[in-house]
Amino acid sequence: MVDLPFDDRADFDNADRGWIASLEPGVVTAADGRVVWDNDVFAFLAGACPETVNPSLWRQSRLCAKQGLYEVAEGLYQVRGLDLSNMTLVEGDRGVVVIDPLISAETAAAALGLYRAHRGDRPVTGMIYTHSHVDHFGGATGVIPEGNPDGIAILAPAGFVEHAVAENVYAGTAMARRGAYMYGNTLDKSPTGMVGTGLGQSASSGTTALIPPTRDITHTGQREVVDGVRIVFQLTPGTEAPAEMNFHFPDLRALCLAENATHNLHNVLTLRGAVVRDARVWSRYIAEAVEMFADDTDVAFASHHWPTWGRDDVVRFLEEQRDLYAYLHDQTLRLLNRGLTGPEIAERFAMPPALAATWHTRGYYGSVSHNVKAIYQRYMGWFDGNPAHLWQHPPREEAVRYTACMGGVDAVVALAGRYAADGDLRFAATLLGHAVFADPDHPAAKAALADVFERLGFGAECGPWRNFFLTGAKELRDGITPTPFAISRGMVAGLSREQVFDSLAIRVNGPRAWDISLTIDWDFADTGDRYRTTLSHGALIHRPRVDHTAGGADATLTLTKPQLFALFTDGTTDGITTDGDTGALARLLGVLDDPDPSFAVVTP
């Protein structure tokens, strides 16, 4: 590891600056008494760094665990440490504008309550979503009543709803499983378990909902006034999220950087799974933010971590973040054009020493290694160009052959032990991975792999790497912990009809539907909209129905949007009328995977 300036206390000073009060105790519960957030569980971070945690990650976790209400500038406050993300509050003429209402309604309400306890019972007069990830909108009903009956202005970048819902639905089950690994959901919070994620400490587990925006930000330079607060926007699509934006408060000389520039190297491809992000445009939007706002900025803050004060320090911070993503992008492309594959580039990739020794560019959430591989993937895909890798066996079948060639699973475990003893934990993990895939019930292979994963986790600087390794070790020792996935009714309400039909199509069991041809028209009595779905060759095609497509359907269903949601979330057909083949709907439902964890719904 590069020598890091552990005696530099600037981050600690900035993280403490403006502190007003903390929530005591730092625990938030749901209406049923269930704990949905506990920041106090990280009190162990106040001690000295143990041998079981990377010292750099320990330092980052200590910073992220700071909790309370902070004054950022006159009239601008943040609540930090009550969820994975921050809530920012800007005081207006009549009340307060909330930026990013956290993940859960319970934590959002607690954060707003902490603010009001020290700044007065100001009404919420506006809300801004910086981008389309759930930790920046999911707690909306803790700030504004469901349905937004008072018509409070809610601003978001163009495309926000589409991306917010799509990411949480289409691949939701798989992402939830990997997310449990990434965030260490099943690990104890302790020096031998989960110590943080690098971006924040953990994610709350309360009620999520989506209150749709009332006003879209459609172009850079757009100016809006919310409760007397003047705001200038910069759209940054394709950076940390597909719909994201920075914005500037000219009267406060304050710049909100959303999640585009935080105190770590972020993910070009998050380990929970997502579309690969564009490091090239990410860097360019940071550069644009400097050009647009730096000379009129005294403080820059984001939806994670702590602010940066002073024009020169803000510019230095942003330029280093700009260079970080540009260097990752450009050098990966340079090396792939010289014939190297993603793993080869990651192995030999060296960061500029000045950036490597800067705290806010360290890989606490993303990592140089997996970001480089992601950039390679964005341009070149999964195939590395080697014909031997074009048609490999799946992992289990490959593992059976590998272990047979090496004398059996017992022999592989013994070989791995020697590599582990020599400090080559990576190859030991490779060998033991083959052993466990070849014989999933082999006690010595599982125990040895768990030990190797634990050692790798203890050494990791990246929070998600640590959590992945330690969760893998835990499941090898204790068995797999199922990862329930549910979408709250508040989130379901944000789905468009097209997204519901998309989700239905993803649930179709293709082989079961190969020989079924079925066309259904869907007439929505509450809106007058009409859609047609056609099941053909195992694929469900949906589209709006226009006049020239009238006729030719096996059945026409008349229903409302809420009935559509009920149909595809729990199979309820109450109130739906059918004209034509009364068995058509049953045949369609019969080709869906069942039970379907990817579309479970929980009540708020």
Side-chain angles (χ1 to χ4, degrees), residues 191-496:
T192 57
M194 196 271 202
V195 300
T197 70
L199 188 68
Q201 284 309 96
S202 184
S204 65
S205 56
T207 305
T208 59
L210 173 59
I211 300 179
T214 63
R215 197 180 309 175
D216 286 344
I217 305 304
T218 60
H219 63 276
T220 291
Q222 183 171 335
R223 296 173 181 268
E224 299 289 343
V225 178
V226 180
D227 190 18
V229 178
R230 295 194 301 139
I231 316 170
V232 182
F233 292 88
Q234 178 203 11
L235 285 182
T236 62
T239 52
E240 188 271 338
E244 191 152 358
M245 62 187 183
N246 300 327
F247 42 94
H248 185 257
F249 298 94
D251 297 325
L252 303 176
R253 296 183 61 84
L255 173 61
C256 177
L257 293 163
E259 204 168 324
N260 289 317
T262 52
H263 288 270
N264 55 209
L265 168 60
H266 214 293
N267 286 297
V268 176
L269 175 57
T270 176
L271 299 182
R272 65 173 166 78
V275 175
V276 180
R277 299 157 185 171
D278 191 339
R280 176 181 58 89
V281 303
W282 198 329
S283 173
R284 291 183 180 177
Y285 281 127
I286 295 173
E288 184 179 61
V290 174
E291 295 170 1
M292 289 183 65
F293 305 124
D295 288 340
D296 300 310
T297 295
D298 293 330
V299 60
F301 64 93
S303 293
H304 296 273
H305 301 141
W306 49 95
T308 299
W309 282 271
R311 189 262 181 200
D312 292 346
D313 285 346
V314 168
V315 170
R316 180 168 57 251
F317 169 72
L318 288 175
E319 289 182 345
E320 288 168 347
Q321 287 277 310
R322 173 200 66 191
D323 296 348
L324 172 65
Y325 295 104
Y327 188 86
L328 285 169
H329 175 272
D330 295 347
Q331 294 305 304
T332 299
L333 269 291
R334 181 180 71 85
L335 292 171
L336 75 81
N337 280 319
R338 294 178 68 85
L340 276 68
T341 65
E344 291 169 336
I345 298 169
E347 194 69 17
R348 67 183 290 178
F349 201 94
M351 293 297 295
L355 287 182
T358 299
W359 288 117
H360 69 83
T361 64
R362 300 297 300 179
Y364 299 120
Y365 192 54
S367 75
V368 170
S369 177
H370 75 253
N371 278 343
V372 162
K373 295 168 189 172
I375 294 167
Y376 182 95
Q377 177 182 327
R378 180 178 177 89
Y379 285 92
M380 303 299 288
W382 65 269
F383 181 46
D384 65 2
N386 183 343
H389 300 154
L390 187 57
W391 192 30
Q392 292 176 276
H393 286 289
R396 175 168 170 75
E397 287 73 15
E398 190 172 68
V400 168
R401 289 162 173 79
Y402 267 118
T403 53
C405 290
M406 288 185 279
V409 172
D410 289 338
V412 172
V413 173
L415 281 170
R418 292 199 286 273
Y419 278 98
D422 290 339
D424 191 349
L425 299 177
R426 296 162 69 187
F427 193 62
T430 299
L431 290 173
L432 291 167
H434 286 312
V436 170
F437 265 85
D439 186 354
D441 296 320
H442 195 286
K446 292 171 65 177
L449 184 55
D451 289 345
V452 168
F453 279 169
E454 185 174 74
R455 290 174 63 186
L456 286 166
F458 287 169
E461 183 182 34
C462 177
W465 280 36
R466 177 185 174 91
N467 294 335
F468 256 91
F469 283 130
L470 295 186
T471 301
K474 184 180 188 300
E475 292 200 341
L476 284 165
R477 291 168 177 155
D478 302 335
I480 293 174
T481 302
T483 305
F485 174 69
I487 304 174
S488 71
R489 293 193 185 277
M491 282 291 293
V492 170
L495 290 167
S496 68

Side-chain angles (χ1 to χ4, degrees), residues 166-178 483-487 597-598:
E167 181 165 287
N168 287 280
V169 174
Y170 292 162
T173 305
M175 284 186 179
R177 172 66 175 157
R178 282 168 58 160
T483 305
F485 174 69
I487 304 174
S598 71

Side-chain angles (χ1 to χ4, degrees), residues 109-126:
L112 183 60
L114 179 62
Y115 164 82
R116 284 173 168 165
H118 297 275
R119 293 296 300 166
D121 192 17
R122 299 166 187 259
V124 174
T125 49

Side-chain angles (χ1 to χ4, degrees), residues 2-33:
V2 66
D3 288 335
L4 293 171
F6 281 93
D7 58 346
D8 178 1
R9 302 290 298 176
D11 284 336
F12 287 90
D13 293 341
N14 283 339
D16 288 334
R17 180 170 172 173
W19 177 83
I20 295 172
S22 296
L23 183 70
E24 299 290 349
V27 178
V28 179
T29 57
D32 60 4

